[in-house]
Amino acid sequence: MCAALKAARQSCYAWKSRPPSAHDLRDDELAVAISRVRDEVRGIYGAPKTFMRLRARGVRTSRKRVARIMRERGWRGGRARAPSAPRARSGRPSANRRWTRWGAGSRPAAPTRRGPRTSPT
């Protein structure tokens, strides 16, 4: 494999025996903090809200770093529900008028021209 990568064998062994960097260690600490937040909110928060929660606790990091750590570990926020037809509100019959008059999903015909036609000049 070293020949395919055009790297010396000694450098591969040196890379394998090297201790983790400070950046990797900090990522592991953040992953633990993110995991705690995810447990509190039952895993429904994505990266932006998780970042805001961490920031409120005084954890200094960036939103993009939180997003990267979540992406690397396969953590995703809960998905929004599929859109459904609007529901009529009680006491307000006009709240859902568009859907009841023309049927769900359909649109009215184009408005007709009213009044005399005038020339553009």
Side-chain angles (χ1 to χ4, degrees), residues 51-89:
F51 165 69
M52 287 190 294
R53 280 272 178 128
L54 291 172
R55 190 173 182 182
R57 293 180 179 181
V59 177
R60 291 185 52 134
T61 185
S62 69
R63 182 188 53 81
K64 288 186 178 184
R65 190 172 194 181
V66 171
R68 179 180 53 81
I69 291 170
M70 289 179 70
R71 187 173 51 248
E72 287 173 353
R73 285 164 174 75
W75 295 336
R76 299 181 68 174
R79 297 190 181 222
R81 266 190 241 151
S84 61
R87 306 196 191 309
R89 298 180 187 145

Side-chain angles (χ1 to χ4, degrees), residues 95-106:
N96 212 7
R97 182 179 298 155
R98 182 176 68 137
W99 295 93
T100 56
R101 189 182 301 166
W102 295 295
S106 64

